[in-house]
Every structure is written in structure tokens, then in C-alpha cells.
């Protein structure tokens, strides 16, 4: 098996990773240093030219073998992911995430990217092609640690780059295991994980040999990466914070949309950048939507992710738990009506915050204007479509949004007026490896997935003549 290249230290320090559901140890994660990062970059620089020269067909074949390797270890990877991140095995959670890793590897391998003839008039012939960047730095989050890492590394490798991965300090074990699996089929040195602290992330973002940084995480950290990348004029793809709005039009069927609304908001226990985080419902059906959504939410079991019955888990870390608790308490103090939850059990082990629905809440309440990133959904009443659109567009983020209606034409018209990178109709957060995905406003820039995602991992070059 080809594993991550040996790093510079003879004995790498380690730290214990704990299960957010139980508080029990999951394993020991290495704590790499900036010196280790430099060694990984050196190895990547040496390995990348031959990989680039191998061509799209050979690189795609390797990605397909990597997908097979992930599938061969799927249950082992899902069990580790559940213990480290907290998400249940079942539902759209750990097994789903590992399956998505294989699917995105195959999609990156199978997406065609042909040279484009832009002018050919008999006198001038100009052709657009994409060359590898070189070494790509991939900085991932703790909410979907495996899947989002694949979103970063699969197109980077397909386009002929080497990749140095910096996982979240909260979830390094999952990414280390995933990369070890993929490295079973890759040439040595192309893909390395550096499991270090903030100093390592900062060094990666500013390293002169890193040609591009891909980052998924908070807007504040994204801004820091932009600043640190300026001196070396790095290419960037940034998928930053969101506070996605959903608009339910008066002709929607409350019962028919309730489960879709629930999973749009509570997938991964709400810990998803493009989850539904503000729900605007027309006054005519407001009470009915609140009732139906409460009925669905009450039936969804929350608990230890290794229990096959659960579909909701703990928050991954106590810092995020405290954010959710603070925002819900602010909503309660304002007089908003709690339909469900809002009453965590202080004696329960783990970072469990109950599924919480909050109605009759003002649009300027902190639970509405701040990204909660957890299992608490504010439901805001509106009277006119113009009012709902204005409220949806009022914030400085715009990753995703959704419109819910029985009239597709009306829904699409509303969708066209929402300031977000993706607007879904009668669903929320459904990403597809064939469909470009990226944010608007302070939710970042750059596109992932499909042909556009491949182009973003290359340097455009015009051959003129």
C-alpha cells in the first residue's frame, strides 16, 4: 500500500480525538508541523510533473480505482466517521457520505473536458485548453470531512495536480483514513495529509509553491486566506458560510413539503453550509406548515450515531453546541414561540442539542440573522412575495436558497430574484457532481463540480495559430 510520504519528524506528536456522542476516545491524530508541511510540498512538487504528463485517461482510470478502494472499505470508513464526527450511520449521514466520496471520484473521472476552438475563421485559429496548476492546497471542514475533501482533491488530481490536504482539527482521523485508502492506487507523493493546527493552515495558504487553495469553512477564515494568498497571487475556490433562506409560497401543500423542509434544514443535524437556516412561510399556510413540520421533526430519532435507529446525532464540538444554545435562548427571551425542542438535557453525555423549531420570530432576531449551523430552525411569517424576497436577500451571504410551491413557473420566477449561488425548487441542498456549485456575496467564489469544477483546477491557456 502506498501511504502518505514519511514526514520530517522521527516521532510526530499526537492528540486524542473524542467521540462527540459519548466523550470517549476515538483515536490519536498526528500533530504535524510547518516543517512537515514543507516536506509534503517538496514531495508533491517532485511527483506532480509525471502525473501531469500521464494524461486525462490514465488519471481518470486511477480515480476510478480509488472509488473502488473507497467502496471496499466503505463500512469501516463510515464507522470511523460516525464516531469522530457524530453523524449517524443511517439516513443522509455517514454511509451516505462515504458513498458520495465514491460517486464524486467517478464523476470527476468521467466528466469530459475537451479543448475548445474559440475562433477558426480561416485566418485565425485559437484553441482554449487547461494545463495543471501544480500543487493544490485543500483545507477542509469538520461537518462533511470526507465528502468535501473529495470535492477538493478529485478534480485537482484529475487535472494533473498534486494535493496537500489540511483537515479540520476536529475531524482529522476520517480524512487520514480516506487518503490512506485512495493512496493505495495513486503514485507516491501526489496526495498527502498534514494534520496540524492553525499555524500549518496559515503556512499552507501562504506557501509560495502552492498554486491554488481550496477552502470550505467560515467567512472569517476565508477572508484570512484571501489576505495571506495575495503576495503569491494564488488561485482560490472558497465555499464560505451561508444562512440559506427558504420561501414557501401560499399555494404549497404543507403536508407534501414537510419532510423535504425537514431534511433541507436538519441534514447532518443542521451542520451543513447549504442547509435551510431561515424558513419564510406565507401567512395563509403558516400554521399548517408549522404543524406538519413539527409532526415530521418529532418522529426523527436523535442519539448515538452507531445506533442503527438514529438519523440525527450530536453537534460535532462543544463550541458549536454553545452557539446553537445561545441563539435559541435569545429567541426564547424575545418571546418567540418554541414549537419543539429548545430544552437540552444538561445531564445527557455528548453534544446533543434537541431538534428545535421556533415560530413567531422577528426577522432581526439573532437566530435568524446569524448562522446557527445546528438543529434549530426559525420560521418567519410573510404576507407578500416581495417582502419574502427582500428578507431572503437582506443578509451579506448567499450560498443557497429554495422556493416551495405547487406552481413551478411561479417558483422559478421567485428563484430568479434571490441572491444565492444555487436556488432549489421544492428541495434544498441537493448537490449533484454534474451541476456547478458555488456561493454569492460573502459565501465565497469559484465553482465546484462538473466541467466548471475541472476548469477551476487548471490554468487556461490559449494556443493561437
Amino acid at each position: 500500500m502506498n501511504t502518505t510520504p514519511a514526514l520530517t519528524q522521527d516521532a510526530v506528536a499526537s492528540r486524542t480525538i473524542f467521540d462527540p456522542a459519548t466523550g470517549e476516545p476515538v483515536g490519536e491524530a498526528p500533530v504535524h508541523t510547518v516543517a512537515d508541511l514543507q516536506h509534503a510540498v517538496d514531495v508533491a512538487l517532485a511527483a506532480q510533473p509525471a502525473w501531469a504528463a500521464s494524461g486525462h485517461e490514465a488519471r481518470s482510470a486511477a480515480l476510478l480505482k480509488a472509488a473502488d478502494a473507497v467502496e471496499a472499505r466503505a463500512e469501516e470508513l463510515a464507522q470511523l466517521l460516525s464516531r469522530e464526527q457524530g453523524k449517524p450511520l443511517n439516513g443522509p449521514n455517514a454511509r451516505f457520505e462515504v458513498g458520495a466520496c465514491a460517486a464524486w471520484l467517478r464523476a470527476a473521472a468521467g466528466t469530459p473536458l475537451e479543448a475548445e476552438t474559440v475562433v477558426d475563421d480561416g485566418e485565425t485559429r485559437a484553441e482554449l485548453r487547461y494545463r495543471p496548476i501544480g500543487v493544490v492546497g485543500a483545507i477542509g471542514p469538520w461537518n462533511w470531512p470526507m465528502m468535501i475533501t473529495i470535492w477538493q482533491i478529485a478534480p485537482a488530481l484529475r487535472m494533473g495536480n498534486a494535493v496537500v490536504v489540511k483537515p479540520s482539527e476536529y475531524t482529522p482521523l476520517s480524512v487520514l483514513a480516506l487518503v490512506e485508502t485512495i493512496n493505495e492506487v495513486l503514485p507516491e507523493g501526489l496526495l498527502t495529509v498534514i494534520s496540524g493546527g492553525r499555524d500549518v493552515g496559515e503556512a499552507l495558504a501562504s506557501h509560495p509553491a502552492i498554486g491554488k487553495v481550496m477552502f470550505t469553512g467560515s467567512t472569517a477564515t476565508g477572508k484570512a486566506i484571501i489576505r495571506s494568498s495575495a503576495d503569491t497571487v494564488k488561485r482560490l475556490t472558497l465555499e464560505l458560510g451561508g444562512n440559506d433562506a427558504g420561501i414557501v409560497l401560499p399555494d404549497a401543500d404543507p403536508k407534501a413539503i414537510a419532510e423535504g423542509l425537514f431534511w433541507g434544514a436538519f441534514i447532518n443535524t443542521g451542520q451543513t453550509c447549504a442547509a435551510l437556516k431561515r424558513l419564510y412561510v406565507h401567512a395563509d399556510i403558516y400554521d399548517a406548515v408549522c404543524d406538519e413540520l413539527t409532526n415530521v421533526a418529532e418522529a426523527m430519532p436523535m442519539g448515538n450515531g452507531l445506533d442503527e435507529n438514529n438519523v440525527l446525532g450530536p453537534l460535532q464540538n462543544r463550541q458549536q453546541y454553545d452557539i446553537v444554545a445561545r441563539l435559541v435562548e435569545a429567541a426564547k427571551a424575545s418571546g418567540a414561540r418554541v414549537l419543539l425542542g429548545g430544552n437540552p438535557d444538561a445531564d445527557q453525555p455528548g453534544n446533543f442539542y434537541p431538534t428545535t423549531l421556533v415560530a413567531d420570530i422577528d426577522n432581526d432576531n439573532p437566530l435568524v440573522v446569524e448562522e446557527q449551523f445546528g438543529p434549530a430552525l426559525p420560521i418567519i411569517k410573510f404576507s407578500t412575495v416581495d417582502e419574502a424576497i427582500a428578507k431572503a436577500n437582506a443578509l451579506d451571504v448567499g450560498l443557497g436558497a429554495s422556493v416551495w410551491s405547487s406552481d413551478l413557473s411561479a417558483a422559478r420566477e421567485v428563484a430568479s430574484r434571490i441572491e444565492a449561488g444555487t436556488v432549489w425548487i421544492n428541495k434544498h441542498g441537493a448537490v449533484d457532481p454534474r451541476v456547478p456549485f458555488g456561493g454569492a456575496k460573502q459565501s465565497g467564489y469559484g465553482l465546484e463540480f462538473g466541467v466548471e469544477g475541472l476548469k477551476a483546477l487548471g490554468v487556461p491557456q490559449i494556443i493561437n495559430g
Side-chain angles (χ1 to χ4, degrees), residues 97-415:
E97 180 167 349
V98 174
C101 290
W104 254 266
L105 283 163
R106 291 199 169 95
T111 300
L113 181 59
E114 306 294 340
E116 177 185 352
T117 301
V118 291
V119 176
D120 189 3
D121 61 5
E123 296 182 3
T124 298
R125 188 178 190 280
E127 186 176 84
L128 174 62
R129 302 176 181 177
Y130 289 84
R131 302 177 63 253
I133 294 169
V135 180
V136 172
I139 305 175
W142 50 258
N143 59 334
W144 296 90
M146 289 185 177
M147 184 175 71
I148 291 178
T149 294
I150 289 293
W151 290 359
Q152 296 170 332
I153 67 177
L157 291 170
R158 160 67 195 278
M159 293 301 291
N161 304 293
V163 188
V164 178
V165 177
K166 162 64 173 70
S168 166
E169 294 173 71
Y170 288 115
T171 53
L173 299 177
S174 302
V175 176
L176 285 160
L178 177 67
V179 169
E180 179 184 55
T181 302
I182 294 172
N183 271 336
E184 293 174 359
V185 302
L186 288 182
E188 186 172 348
L190 281 176
L191 179 59
T192 308
V193 180
I194 298 297
S195 173
R198 179 174 295 182
D199 60 331
V200 173
E202 291 172 350
L204 177 64
S206 61
H207 198 291
I210 300 288
K212 171 156 186 162
V213 170
M214 301 186 76
F215 171 73
T216 296
S218 72
T219 297
T221 303
K223 290 177 179 178
I225 289 172
I226 293 170
R227 288 190 291 269
S228 65
S229 69
D231 286 345
T232 52
V233 197
K234 294 191 194 313
R235 289 159 173 80
L236 299 174
T237 294
L238 303 174
E239 196 255 87
L240 307 178
N243 195 342
D244 288 13
I247 298 176
V248 180
L249 300 182
D251 65 351
D253 179 343
K255 188 174 183 65
I257 66 173
E259 188 166 347
L261 289 172
F262 175 83
W263 284 118
F266 293 99
I267 185 172
N268 197 26
T269 317
Q271 300 166 107
T272 297
C273 294
L276 173 57
K277 300 189 175 81
R278 301 175 285 149
L279 182 60
Y280 297 94
V281 182
H282 193 274
D284 288 353
I285 58 171
Y286 184 83
D287 291 337
V289 168
C290 287
D291 290 344
E292 296 294 346
L293 187 51
T294 301
N295 291 339
V296 171
E298 284 178 326
M300 297 293 181
M302 175 184 287
N304 191 313
L306 297 181
D307 184 331
E308 297 280 354
N309 296 311
N310 292 324
V311 294
L312 299 171
L315 288 158
Q316 200 287 321
N317 56 81
R318 202 66 184 182
Q319 179 180 0
Q320 196 59 44
Y321 177 100
D322 291 342
I323 291 171
V324 175
R326 172 180 62 81
L327 293 173
V328 173
E329 287 304 310
K332 291 162 67 175
S334 74
R337 178 165 55 105
V338 177
L339 303 174
L340 181 69
N343 55 343
D345 182 355
D347 296 326
Q348 182 182 26
N351 300 329
F352 289 98
Y353 195 92
T355 305
T356 300
L357 299 172
V358 181
D360 301 335
I361 186 169
D362 293 334
N363 196 56
D364 59 357
N365 190 280
L367 181 58
V368 179
V369 298
E370 297 182 35
E371 184 182 23
Q372 69 276 50
F373 216 71
L377 179 67
I379 310 171
I380 306 101
K381 186 184 299 184
F382 72 87
S383 298
T384 69
V385 172
D386 286 346
E387 174 195 354
I389 293 171
K391 288 179 175 178
N393 289 340
L395 301 183
D396 60 3
V397 289
L399 186 56
S402 56
V403 182
W404 304 75
S405 173
S406 299
D407 184 340
L408 288 179
S409 178
R412 289 173 181 142
E413 194 279 327
V414 172

